[in-house]
Amino acid sequence: VLFHGLVNDPYGKKMSKSKGNIIDPLELVSEYGADAVRFALIYGNATGNDQALSYSKLDAARKFTNKLWNMGRFIEMKRVSSIKYQVLSIEDLEKKAKGKTDIDMVERVKKLAKEITKNLDEYNFNYAAESLYEFAWHEFADKYIENVKTSSEDSFLILYSLFLILLKLLHPFMPFVTEEIYQRFGFGESIMIDKWPSLI
């Protein structure tokens, strides 16, 4: 059993009916999305610590969700316009990767999968969320996807397979958007019952 800290109002005060500062979580879900709310409550908050509800974190998490959608749309577009990709294992990806950028990204995703698995096993959910956010947005999306746009067919195949691993790592934090993208790509029956990346 894991006990989390209190979620206080934006000013750090405990929510109560008498104070009139209660924030309905369903309203937050309606405005920001369930995945964004889940992610914002974990990101940057050590396990067990109380936290003040942060609208800036909620907004950032919503933008991150949109970023995942945009990544998925780009990869799906390339998949439809090009060959029907098959997902490769880490071992096959290491053999397939030829260019320095592809080789580096395969190694970095391998390292990320180990790091996230370790943090989840040790209940360091905030560390896992922070690492995933930084890597997915600033390394995978901003750098690697941009590089792949002008690369070979093999790079798209590697991108496609690495994106699936990234979805699996994000799934405990953002179950709805990762499942939706997984289903749209036809990766399998459900991301919930697929193998964890460390077992690929």
Side-chain angles (χ1 to χ4, degrees):
V1 176
L2 178 74
F3 291 96
H4 62 76
L6 290 175
V7 179
N8 296 315
D9 74 7
Y11 301 101
K13 303 294 183 182
K14 186 176 179 179
M15 296 185 200
S16 71
K17 289 183 180 179
S18 60
K19 291 180 181 178
N21 65 342
I22 291 178
I23 298 170
D24 187 344
L26 294 180
E27 291 180 3
L28 294 178
V29 168
S30 178
E31 183 175 354
Y32 295 96
D35 281 344
V37 173
R38 286 169 60 103
F39 197 83
L41 291 175
I42 295 169
Y43 185 93
N45 188 62
T47 304
N49 285 3
D50 293 351
Q51 64 173 303
L53 186 68
S54 169
Y55 286 103
S56 61
K57 280 206 298 182
L58 285 165
D59 190 54
R62 178 172 56 186
K63 289 176 180 175
F64 183 53
T65 305
N66 290 336
K67 190 71 172 180
L68 290 178
W69 271 116
N70 291 335
M71 292 162 63
R73 286 192 194 102
F74 168 76
I75 296 170
E76 184 180 37
M77 177 184 68
K78 289 297 180 183
R79 182 183 65 147
V80 170
S81 63
S82 188
I83 63 172
K84 297 296 181 182
Y85 296 134
Q86 289 184 329
V87 176
L88 298 180
S89 66
I90 285 289
E91 291 77 13
D92 289 336
L93 285 172
E94 288 175 322
K95 295 174 185 175
K96 195 79 171 175
K98 302 299 181 186
K100 184 179 185 305
T101 302
D102 291 336
I103 292 171
D104 287 348
M105 188 52 62
V106 171
E107 285 302 312
R108 295 189 68 180
V109 170
K110 272 183 64 178
K111 182 179 178 182
L112 180 71
K114 291 178 182 177
E115 177 189 344
I116 299 306
T117 302
K118 183 175 185 290
N119 281 326
L120 291 179
D121 286 343
E122 296 175 356
Y123 303 100
N124 293 320
F125 304 127
N126 58 311
Y127 294 149
E130 290 161 21
S131 294
L132 284 166
Y133 179 92
E134 292 299 320
F135 182 85
W137 193 311
H138 301 298
E139 299 299 324
F140 198 79
D142 289 351
K143 296 179 182 177
Y144 187 58
I145 288 181
E146 288 301 315
N147 180 273
V148 169
K149 285 179 180 179
T150 57
S151 296
S152 67
E153 200 71 56
D154 285 346
S155 290
F156 281 110
L157 177 55
I158 293 167
L159 170 67
Y160 181 70
S161 299
L162 292 180
F163 185 58
L164 172 60
I165 296 173
L166 201 54
L167 288 178
K168 291 179 182 181
L169 295 175
L170 282 162
H171 182 68
F173 305 96
M174 311 182 88
F176 297 105
V177 67
T178 53
E179 181 70 40
E180 181 66 25
I181 296 172
Y182 185 93
Q183 294 293 338
R184 180 172 294 192
F185 275 49
F187 281 131
E189 183 180 348
S190 173
I191 196 172
M192 289 188 293
I193 58 175
D194 205 339
K195 290 182 179 179
W196 185 248
S198 61
L199 303 178
I200 290 178

